[in-house]
Amino acid sequence: MPITVWGLAIAQALLASGNILLVSVSALIGQQLASAPWQITLPVACQFTGLIAATLPAAHLMQRLGRKAGFVLGNLFGLLGAWVALQGLTATSLILFACGTFLTGIAIGVGQQYRFAALEACDSGRHARAISLVMAGGILAAVIGPNLAVWSQGWHDGSAYAGAFYGLLGLYALALLLILLLPLPAATPVRPGERLRAYGELFRQPLLLAAVASGMIGYGIMVLLMTATPLAMDGHSHDFPATAMVIQWHVLGMFVPSFFTGNLIRRFGTRKVILWGCAALLLSVLVNLSGTGFWHYWWGLLWLGVGWNFTFIGATHLLTFSYRPAEKARVQGINEFMVFSAAALGSLFAGQGVVLLGWSGLNLFAVPWILLVFALIWRLNMREPVAA
């Protein structure tokens, strides 16, 4: 595997570590700085808003200027965001802190293109393995992010959480240095006279529709149930250490399969792996509906992570067959926008969903969406057999 792919995997680990670090402390800081209950999750909402806002511009910028310029700019946004958030925290200003999380959200949105850059650094026969390797960086993030949040509590006298943003500054500085050193693919401008299909024409392809829907639903359902789990466990009298262990194993379920997902795609095909991911998501729902004990949550969230891994990596690989080289920015950008919009909706609906539907009702709500992916892949297989 080219050195660029390994470097992007490390960059992904640094990016995801910063993301987990933010998730660990942002709501707690919001609780300290908010003057009304609805403001508590404002920093998290701003982070998602920044992420979604960056997806389309980042893809088009990289097609014009190249991956290196885009990733350098993204990490500079991350450094600026961490500094602004730190100023907001020390000044006890919720608005300034939320502006900082918005800027870091932009950096996270730009960094989602790492897996697409990995595809351009190797031949098509290794695409599935390259995507898997980059996503496997999340395993390091599962260790670095939460521990850095704990270790950094003594780094600043004024606030227990300010040290986390010194750590975040360090992560983005390391990622910036790494990106500057990596030999990344150059810009691929559109050739004169080359026709770009409109979004309507692109989405009339069953393949593109199946790929985007697989990514959206796999990510959205995962975020929905993952975000709701701590609330549901608390409602069923589980203590925080038990909840933390369930979430930790869920994160491992999300990223550990990345070591072999690429080989499964090469051996059995992308569409089958997506269907296996849907089956894992349905198994997660079944386990969650079967009881509310610790091991029900543990197994349910573990299968939820595996289902996300197969659907997300499979959808990313399937997407690559739906566009011409000149259209990659257009298709990759709209895919990222729609996938992370679904994730944002999942996170926003999770709390209200537990209240309105209950834990069992929320799981049942997920079933039709998972079955929709099954239907789209089946339709794709009928219209466009794999051999074609």
Side-chain angles (χ1 to χ4, degrees), residues 339-352:
V339 167
F340 291 104
S341 294
L345 287 172
S347 68
L348 292 172
F349 181 67
Q352 196 69 9

Side-chain angles (χ1 to χ4, degrees), residues 16-31 44 47 97 141-150 152-153 161 164-165 240 247:
S17 297
N19 196 9
I20 293 172
L21 180 65
L22 279 171
V23 169
S24 301
V25 302
S26 290
L28 296 172
I29 293 171
Q31 194 171 40
V44 179
Q47 180 183 328
F97 179 74
V143 176
I144 296 171
N147 284 310
L148 188 56
V150 175
S152 61
Q153 286 188 324
Y161 303 117
F165 291 89
F240 180 74
I247 296 298

Side-chain angles (χ1 to χ4, degrees), residues 69-138:
F71 291 149
V72 165
L73 185 61
N75 280 289
L76 289 175
F77 268 108
L79 288 166
L80 178 62
W83 182 81
V84 171
L86 184 59
Q87 303 312 304
L89 185 55
T90 54
T92 63
S93 168
L94 179 67
I95 298 301
L96 191 57
F97 179 74
C99 288
T101 61
F102 175 81
L103 293 170
T104 56
I106 292 175
I108 294 166
V110 174
Q112 298 304 323
Q113 295 280 326
Y114 286 152
R115 69 190 195 280
F116 292 120
L119 299 177
E120 298 160 15
C122 61
D123 58 79
S124 60
R126 291 185 286 181
H127 277 183
R129 289 179 59 203
I131 297 168
S132 294
L133 183 60
V134 171
M135 296 307 298

Side-chain angles (χ1 to χ4, degrees), residues 11 19-20 52 55 90 93 105 138 184 214 218 257 283 316 340 366 376 384-385:
N19 196 9
I20 293 172
I52 294 167
T55 50
T90 54
S93 168
L184 290 168
S214 299
L283 182 57
T316 300
F340 291 104
L376 289 171
E384 300 177 20

